[in-house]
Amino acid sequence: MSRANLALIVLIGLIATLPLFGGAYALRLGTMACMYAIFALSWNVVGGFAGYPSFATAAFFGFGAYASGVLLGAGLPLWLAVIVSGVAALIAAGALGAALLRLRGHYFAIASLSLVEVLRELVNNATDLTGGGMGLNIPLAAGSGIMADALFFFYAMWILMLATALTVMWVAGSKLGFGLACIRQNETAASMVGLNTTLYKSLAFALSACFVASAGGIYAAWVHYIDPSDVFDILYSVKPIVMTLIGGLGSPLGALCGALVYLGLEEVVWRNYIQIHTGVLGLLIVMLLLFLPHGLVSLRLARLFGKAKHV
Amino acid sequence: MSEILRLDRVSRHFSGLQALREVTLAVNKGEVLGLIGPNGAGKTTLVNTVCGVTPASAGTITFAGQDITRIKTYQAARLGLSRTFQIVQPFAEFTALDNVAAAALFSQGHENVKTAREEARAHLSFVGLEAQAAQPAANLTLAMRKRLELAKALAMKPKLLFLDEVNAGLNSAEVERATKLIHELAASGITIVMIEHLMKVVLNVCSRIVVLHNGRLIADGTPREVINNPAVVEAYLGQQYAQRSAAR
């Protein structure tokens, strides 16, 4: 295992000790951190490894939230609903990817963005199933109190983050990851050496969807009420991109660090500059990207280990 | 000699531009076929059409007894059709070794990157790049990148190899080295179709030459026949070249 992967696992292990130090507020932040990390790690597969800037994260998140919400309403246990949502997203994204990923660059970004809007409108109009604009109430999971509930959802999200990180690490070191790196660098040459680019890109898109959809399922059960403008919020598409860029494009460790830093910034700025918090946050992000274009992970590699490595 | 590739009245147009017009051509197993013609004659389009990059608008292409007219690029690569690019196409961030490993990995059905890398090392040393194995492809000189292209093509274990102007932009020492490599490849039994403008190399290496002009095949024969063919002289070689080679 490479040092970066080891650091990633250690960091995830540290996050698991959070309940020892904090109360309900810290647990809420911790749950959000795990969710953001799932977003960033997932986006990194299609955006970082394959080089396709996807804006579809919000679509997968909303899809997972609604799929799980409806399944939970039908009486399924949470773990089953979350797994079913993830698998459904995997298959749907794989199929959609085969069509969408024929587009490149900006065209792909716009097309993936439209996916969010299409799903939002579908959910808005399928009133019988989803409650439309009225939103969807999700039955309470069998929790025994506020702290127990917070603890349960924190660890649910944490386990999903661990699964995401392990999958992403496996992808990075596998034939799939190698192929995605080829596609990012030169897609024409990649197909010329016998790489089925459509298949690989679809797999990347599908992998970037399934954990995000599962996270949507846990989120829905956590907040008990979802509506289209909440879970199909376009910010859910933009944030993972910013996190990954802060952390370092293409690096799973960078994606996780980026998610934590981003959440920290968001929280600190929101608390101190309530009137102008989005403006200040935007400024900070611009500064970070301007002075650290290769992300936090480039600092680490340059200073501590001397030699930069890709993938 | 048995046929390995057959083009039967193959045409390709890009909207109004007719790049290939009813080209009928057979390539025999083990031969080194030179494909020459003026700029814009359709030489690269011919290679692209066979490899599935720009499928034929009409006609059929048969490779080793199999119809490959509508084949996808990656399938062509796995069948043993490999090519080098006129404008080199490396994976720029990868090391030279990983560039070749990628070719071995995806065309040969290796299961992991490690075995592909081992195989890649042999191909790199064949083209004389073992010292540059750990360097990113972006740092190599043009001549080295051309040889890297060749190593990539060889890692695909080609039955038929298209060399698209491997000598363009090289100095004479580099050309000599590349020519020697092509000779070695031909001796190892790989069928080669080479696009080339340097007549010295073409006459030195090829056992047969075909000439394309405005997308049409205008000559097909031994090097001697072709350079004395008036239509070829008119379209490509020029009167001066004809006189010089006649005087020799």
Side-chain angles (χ1 to χ4, degrees):
Chain A
M1 194 185 284
S2 75
R3 272 185 265 206
N5 283 349
L6 203 63
L8 181 66
I9 291 294
V10 168
L11 199 54
I12 289 175
L14 285 178
I15 293 173
T17 63
L18 182 75
L20 297 177
F21 308 111
Y25 169 68
L27 281 181
R28 194 197 73 85
L29 266 189
T31 313
M32 287 303 281
C34 293
M35 193 170 96
Y36 279 1
I38 294 166
F39 290 179
L41 286 167
S42 296
W43 185 84
N44 193 36
V45 174
V46 68
F49 294 170
Y52 273 74
S54 162
F55 279 82
T57 310
F60 304 140
F61 181 68
F63 173 84
Y66 266 95
S68 292
V70 170
L71 289 173
L72 287 171
L76 254 68
L78 177 63
W79 63 270
L80 189 59
V82 164
I83 292 175
V84 169
S85 309
V87 171
L90 185 84
I91 295 165
L96 275 170
L100 283 181
L101 290 154
R102 284 164 204 280
L103 303 167
R104 293 188 191 184
H106 304 96
Y107 297 97
F108 170 74
I110 301 286
S112 64
L113 192 60
S114 71
L115 206 57
V116 185
E117 295 304 312
V118 168
L119 276 181
R120 188 219 301 269
E121 286 311 313
L122 278 178
V123 167
N124 259 328
N125 287 295
T127 322
D128 291 341
L129 191 62
T130 63
M134 300 278 288
L136 185 66
N137 280 306
I138 287 127
L140 292 170
S144 49
I146 292 175
M147 267 315 275
D149 237 29
L151 207 59
F152 172 79
F153 283 110
F154 170 72
Y155 276 115
M157 211 59 111
W158 183 83
I159 289 168
L160 190 60
M161 172 177 71
L162 182 66
T164 313
L166 291 175
T167 309
V168 168
M169 270 161 45
W170 169 79
V171 168
S174 72
K175 187 176 172 183
L176 175 60
F178 197 75
L180 293 177
C182 289
I183 291 173
R184 182 186 71 234
Q185 293 172 61
N186 192 332
E187 197 167 333
T188 318
S191 68
M192 207 58 87
V193 296
L195 181 95
N196 186 347
T197 50
T198 314
L199 176 70
Y200 272 54
K201 286 185 295 183
S202 298
L203 282 175
F205 201 53
L207 282 173
S208 80
C210 73
F211 293 108
V212 171
S214 293
I218 295 175
Y219 174 84
W222 181 35
V223 299
H224 304 308
Y225 170 81
I226 50 174
D227 71 57
S229 60
D230 173 22
V231 293
F232 289 107
D233 187 346
I234 200 66
L235 280 176
Y236 285 129
S237 290
V238 179
K239 282 175 184 173
I241 303 178
V242 174
M243 294 171 202
T244 315
L245 288 175
I246 289 176
L249 197 62
S251 152
L253 176 64
L256 180 64
C257 294
L260 297 181
V261 168
Y262 180 84
L263 182 71
L265 283 178
E266 199 179 51
E267 201 64 19
V268 167
V269 168
W270 180 77
R271 221 195 276 172
N272 295 321
Y273 307 95
I274 190 95
Q275 299 288 336
I276 49 164
H277 70 277
T278 43
V280 175
L281 187 59
L283 201 66
L284 281 174
I285 292 168
V286 170
M287 302 280 275
L288 259 176
L289 294 183
L290 208 57
F291 293 110
L292 208 58
H294 299 292
L296 296 167
V297 69
S298 64
L299 274 180
R300 182 191 66 87
L301 287 173
R303 299 276 157 79
L304 296 181
F305 300 124
K307 205 173 98 190
K309 275 196 224 153
H310 51 257
V311 184
Chain B
M1 269 199 280
S2 63
E3 268 177 21
I4 186 160
L5 178 75
R6 175 162 202 90
L7 282 74
D8 194 18
R9 280 177 292 131
V10 170
S11 298
R12 168 76 204 189
H13 58 82
F14 298 101
S15 45
L17 177 76
Q18 192 78 32
L20 293 175
R21 298 166 205 257
E22 306 217 323
V23 174
T24 297
L25 172 67
V27 180
N28 297 317
K29 215 170 219 160
E31 76 177 335
V32 180
L33 178 70
L35 177 58
I36 62 172
N39 288 327
K43 304 182 293 294
T44 299
T45 304
L46 186 86
V47 176
N48 282 337
T49 303
V50 174
C51 292
V53 180
T54 53
S57 319
T60 55
I61 304 170
T62 322
F63 176 68
Q66 190 180 348
D67 185 350
I68 59 159
T69 317
R70 295 269 162 269
I71 207 167
K72 294 220 167 61
T73 314
Y74 75 92
Q75 292 166 325
R78 290 179 189 177
L79 279 177
L81 272 162
S82 92
R83 59 140 350 149
T84 67
F85 285 91
Q86 180 177 3
I87 298 153
V88 289
Q89 303 271 3
F91 302 116
E93 299 163 26
F94 274 0
T95 60
L97 185 68
D98 277 359
N99 265 276
V100 183
L105 184 64
F106 296 110
S107 63
Q108 299 301 309
H110 278 287
E111 270 318 304
N112 66 63
V113 184
K114 208 172 145 231
T115 55
R117 281 201 184 113
E118 281 161 20
E119 197 185 306
R121 211 167 276 282
H123 295 293
L124 267 187
S125 65
F126 177 76
V127 299
L129 283 176
E130 65 270 61
Q132 283 77 26
Q135 276 190 35
N139 296 357
L140 301 180
T141 64
L142 178 66
M144 287 177 185
R145 282 188 222 182
K146 294 250 176 187
R147 275 186 272 143
L148 182 63
E149 282 281 301
L150 195 59
K152 269 164 84 177
L154 291 177
M156 293 161 65
K157 303 245 167 73
K159 295 193 181 83
L160 177 58
L161 175 61
F162 289 100
L163 301 175
D164 196 348
E165 300 204 18
V166 279
N167 291 317
L170 302 190
N171 66 33
S172 57
E174 290 162 347
V175 167
E176 212 157 282
R177 182 166 189 178
T179 311
K180 206 176 130 241
L181 277 178
I182 297 166
H183 268 300
E184 283 172 37
L185 288 180
S188 75
I190 301 173
T191 312
I192 297 174
V193 175
M194 61 185 298
I195 298 179
E196 189 54 75
H197 281 299
L198 297 172
M199 283 312 288
K200 197 179 89 183
V201 178
V202 176
L203 295 176
N204 182 345
V205 176
C206 298
S207 50
R208 194 178 127 217
I209 296 176
V210 293
V211 188
L212 266 181
H213 180 48
N214 286 338
R216 215 184 290 278
L217 212 59
I218 59 166
D220 181 348
T222 64
R224 235 351 89 195
E225 285 164 22
V226 167
I227 59 167
N228 294 322
N229 183 325
V232 178
V233 171
E234 179 66 30
Y236 180 56
L237 297 173
Q239 289 298 339
Q240 271 189 346
Y241 183 89
Q243 277 159 18
R244 248 191 297 136
S245 68
R248 239 184 270 150

